[in-house]
Amino acid sequence: MDKKGNLWIGTDKGLKVVSKETGNIITYKHDPNNIYSISDDNITSIIEDNYGILWIGTRSNGLNTFDRQTSKFFSYHRSESDLSSLSADNVSYLFIDRADILWVGTYLGGVNKWDRTAVGIELYRKNPFDINSLSSNQIRCIFQDSHSIMWVGTVDNGLNKWDIANNK
């Protein structure tokens, strides 16, 4: 549910929204002839930030934001030449913490952190030579508890307890 009470539903056949006011259902699908359409029809995660921006993760074509005024989608992808881009285009989970930082869990790309007050995206991945790194790059879910500890669930290697303040 967004802040206006509309229900957003991610499916493998597009993004749907049920209007709270009318009950009407609108479906958004990828259109290869429209750069402002959603980048992929297979939706994995949806979240609204404190600024009312809707973020949509997709199975194979990156991350999208939705401009409700213009009904346009803007997409963000992995780029080999841009180290501050997404680490992978397969977005598995989105989470917004108390500081309004967007955390993007990916399949095989670890965790991406986007802070609107900083430049670029930070990446957290498994490093076999660092015991304080993530246990896996296959992220299933992310949660921040009341003590500001981030919990990162993985597909194949359990749960990570991450103390952000000490980066451990």
Side-chain angles (χ1 to χ4, degrees):
M1 298 285 264
D2 66 18
K3 291 178 173 100
K4 295 180 180 180
N6 300 309
L7 177 63
W8 294 86
I9 305 166
T11 74
D12 60 357
K13 293 180 175 54
L15 176 68
K16 298 178 183 291
V17 60
V18 180
S19 170
K20 177 185 176 185
E21 293 179 8
T22 66
N24 292 340
I25 300 172
I26 298 172
T27 301
Y28 297 99
K29 297 188 92 163
H30 174 65
D31 177 355
N33 298 315
N34 180 358
I35 63 168
Y36 296 112
S37 72
I38 195 159
S39 64
D40 188 356
D41 288 337
N42 197 333
I43 310 304
T44 57
S45 191
I46 306 164
I47 197 162
E48 182 180 25
D49 69 17
N50 293 332
Y51 294 89
I53 297 171
L54 196 68
W55 296 87
I56 304 106
T58 69
R59 174 74 55 220
S60 63
N61 211 359
L63 182 63
N64 294 259
T65 57
F66 182 60
D67 184 331
R68 296 176 211 209
Q69 302 297 324
T70 63
S71 292
K72 291 180 179 178
F73 290 88
F74 298 91
S75 59
Y76 305 89
H77 303 276
R78 179 177 188 266
S79 171
E80 293 283 337
S81 62
D82 183 359
L83 297 177
S84 66
S85 70
L86 280 177
S87 61
D89 280 335
N90 187 325
V91 175
S92 56
Y93 194 79
L94 299 172
F95 177 76
I96 306 248
D97 70 14
R98 290 180 198 88
D100 207 38
I101 293 172
L102 175 67
W103 297 85
V104 181
T106 64
Y107 185 78
L108 298 178
V111 176
N112 297 258
K113 173 186 172 186
W114 183 71
D115 180 348
R116 70 180 65 247
T117 63
V119 176
I121 295 175
E122 289 182 54
L123 173 61
Y124 299 93
R125 296 186 64 131
K126 176 181 179 173
N127 178 344
F129 305 107
D130 181 359
I131 62 169
N132 289 311
S133 72
L134 289 173
S135 64
S136 171
N137 289 326
Q138 297 182 52
I139 308 306
R140 171 87 62 201
C141 60
I142 304 169
F143 177 77
Q144 183 179 35
D145 69 18
S146 61
H147 302 288
S148 295
I149 299 294
M150 296 296 284
W151 295 88
V152 180
T154 69
V155 172
D156 62 338
N157 209 5
L159 182 66
N160 292 254
K161 179 182 178 183
W162 185 4
D163 180 350
I164 297 173
N166 297 312
N167 199 26
K168 293 188 176 191

